[in-house]
Amino acid sequence: MYQLLLVYQTTTILSISCQNENSDEPSSVISQFTDIMDKTATVSDWFFNIKKVEKVVGSLKFGKASGADGITTEHLRYAHPSIVFHLKSVFNLILLHGYVPNDFGRGIIVPLVKDRHDDCGNLDNYRGITVSSIISKVFELCVCDKFGEFLSSHALQFGYKKNTGCQNAVFTLQKTVNYFTQRGSTVFVSCLDASKAFDRISHVKLFEKLIKRQVPSCLICVLCNWYSKLYSCVRWNGT
């Protein structure tokens, strides 16, 4: 019965998201999702264990700002060891029911000035850093560790990936340009900068790509529910 409710909840969210983003094929996305519900393994096959959660909690860095709930890394690291068991239980219930706490979607945006010598009254001169719940961060890291095989990106992507960065791409570009120029060839470079790409990305398209990758339906349900609860407030002058 809970699976039927889960499908209904997720397909409803997908339908609303498709309408909000003017998607031309909402029924296609929903049909793909309902199709993988029958093909993926049972939810319990993807449950987290205490060892994984303990590893993630131990990897958290100290000195980070807290979310709206006021909980910091230090609270988790210095808590009684049983906290890991309780976190594991909560995370598995999230996977089972496809439902995240409302505070998981709450973010606090801290505006940082890009250039203090520029106009501080210009919104484009600010970069927003979003602070979220540390519990949601632990869950996110557990998901990345558990479902990492489904979340790989192209080999030519250098940014936003572990153990690599833009310096690798710059080095490759320089070597390529030098190779051809030293042999008398002319090199033409075309660059594309997508303005505010993360703010304008279609969430429906992201869900569709996850579905095509045969990502377990329990995770897609969680992500759909999570994205439907996203909202934020701005922290200005410490308030």
Side-chain angles (χ1 to χ4, degrees):
M1 184 63 187
Y2 87 90
Q3 278 196 324
L4 293 176
L5 294 173
L6 203 57
V7 173
Y8 174 77
Q9 169 188 288
T10 306
T11 53
T12 300
I13 293 173
L14 285 173
S15 297
I16 295 174
S17 298
C18 288
Q19 292 172 7
N20 291 341
E21 299 182 14
N22 297 320
S23 176
D24 296 329
E25 299 180 342
S27 58
S28 174
V29 179
I30 294 173
S31 63
Q32 292 179 55
F33 170 72
T34 53
D35 182 55
I36 68 168
M37 284 292 294
D38 299 326
K39 296 181 179 179
T40 54
T42 58
V43 179
S44 59
D45 293 334
W46 299 103
F47 276 175
F48 305 107
N49 57 48
I50 291 181
K51 186 176 180 180
K52 289 292 184 181
V53 177
E54 185 177 29
K55 176 184 175 183
V56 168
V57 172
S59 68
L60 297 175
K61 296 181 180 180
F62 292 123
K64 299 295 183 179
S66 65
D69 54 15
I71 301 176
T72 64
T73 298
E74 286 77 3
H75 286 110
L76 299 183
R77 292 286 296 272
Y78 295 132
H80 190 277
S82 63
I83 188 67
V84 176
F85 170 79
H86 296 298
L87 288 175
K88 184 265 297 183
S89 300
V90 171
F91 294 165
N92 287 339
L93 286 173
I94 289 175
L95 283 182
L96 180 64
H97 297 288
Y99 186 92
V100 301
N102 292 335
D103 277 352
F104 271 32
R106 183 180 182 183
I108 299 177
I109 299 177
V110 182
L112 300 179
V113 180
K114 296 179 182 178
D115 185 358
R116 294 191 178 277
H117 300 288
D118 202 348
D119 182 11
C120 291
N122 184 3
L123 289 177
D124 293 331
N125 193 31
Y126 287 87
R127 176 184 293 106
I129 304 298
T130 303
V131 180
S132 55
S133 165
I134 188 63
I135 304 296
S136 69
K137 182 66 176 179
V138 174
F139 178 69
E140 178 185 336
L141 293 173
C142 288
V143 166
C144 291
D145 181 74
K146 188 72 172 181
F147 299 91
E149 61 184 286
F150 300 100
L151 307 176
S152 59
S153 59
H154 197 282
L156 294 180
Q157 177 183 330
F158 292 92
Y160 307 104
K161 294 176 69 173
K162 189 177 182 180
N163 299 325
T164 186
C166 293
Q167 67 271 16
N168 303 85
V170 172
F171 175 79
T172 303
L173 176 63
Q174 289 177 334
K175 286 296 183 180
T176 303
V177 171
N178 291 340
Y179 175 85
F180 286 102
T181 55
Q182 289 171 3
R183 289 163 175 76
S185 297
T186 301
V187 178
F188 298 92
V189 179
S190 177
C191 299
L192 174 65
D193 181 16
S195 176
K196 294 182 174 58
F198 282 98
D199 298 330
R200 299 175 177 175
I201 191 68
S202 169
H203 292 164
V204 174
K205 290 296 182 183
L206 292 179
F207 292 139
E208 186 176 359
K209 288 183 178 296
L210 292 177
I211 291 171
K212 288 181 177 179
R213 286 192 177 195
Q214 295 293 303
V215 172
S217 56
C218 59
L219 178 58
I220 294 177
C221 291
V222 169
L223 293 177
C224 283
N225 183 262
W226 198 342
Y227 271 69
S228 71
K229 296 180 175 181
L230 295 181
Y231 71 100
S232 58
C233 57
V234 178
R235 177 181 291 167
W236 188 258
N237 289 333
T239 59

